[in-house]
Amino acid sequence: MKLLLNVICLFIFLGCSKSDRNEFSSMESGHLELVKKIKLPLDEYSNYEFLNVRAIDDTLVVLNTANYSLDFYDLANEILLKRIAIQSIGPESVPRLYSF
């Protein structure tokens, strides 16, 4: 029993080494760094909660759950490029938007 406990402790000790965890070496401090501030225009259909976003090159795609749409923003010029409406009712609708 004592041998089994020693073997388990040895595996735990060797398995917890920090030497092979270099995949996040650029974020060693664990803090985010502010790179740039931008101001995006909001209209009466926009939602200020950008919870579901994707950045594609210089375009930010935002899932607007309040308006049921995908909003495309140009980050370089800080403007709304286009808005694609998503049907909320009907035969080809998406009843509840969570993420994309």
Side-chain angles (χ1 to χ4, degrees), residues 72-97:
F72 293 82
Y73 291 94
D74 183 7
L75 295 176
N77 298 321
E78 299 178 359
I79 59 171
L80 176 66
L81 290 175
K82 64 181 172 179
R83 177 174 284 138
I84 298 176
I86 301 171
Q87 294 180 359
S88 61
I89 56 174
E92 296 178 1
S93 65
V94 179
R96 187 78 190 213
L97 292 178

Side-chain angles (χ1 to χ4, degrees), residues 32-95:
L32 297 176
E33 180 181 333
L34 178 64
V35 176
K36 180 183 175 183
K37 288 185 180 183
I38 59 170
K39 292 183 182 181
L40 297 175
L42 299 179
D43 58 5
E44 63 270 9
Y45 302 110
S46 298
N47 191 356
Y48 64 89
E49 296 176 344
F50 289 359
L51 301 177
N52 294 308
V53 298
R54 298 288 183 267
I56 303 171
D57 296 328
D58 205 18
T59 303
L60 184 70
V61 183
V62 178
L63 178 64
N64 187 341
T65 56
N67 191 39
Y68 265 71
S69 66
L70 287 174
D71 299 343
F72 293 82
Y73 291 94
D74 183 7
L75 295 176
N77 298 321
E78 299 178 359
I79 59 171
L80 176 66
L81 290 175
K82 64 181 172 179
R83 177 174 284 138
I84 298 176
I86 301 171
Q87 294 180 359
S88 61
I89 56 174
E92 296 178 1
S93 65
V94 179

Side-chain angles (χ1 to χ4, degrees), residues 17-28:
S17 68
K18 193 176 178 181
S19 62
D20 61 346
R21 296 185 183 176
N22 292 333
E23 59 186 295
F24 298 109
S25 61
S26 63
M27 293 183 58
E28 289 179 5

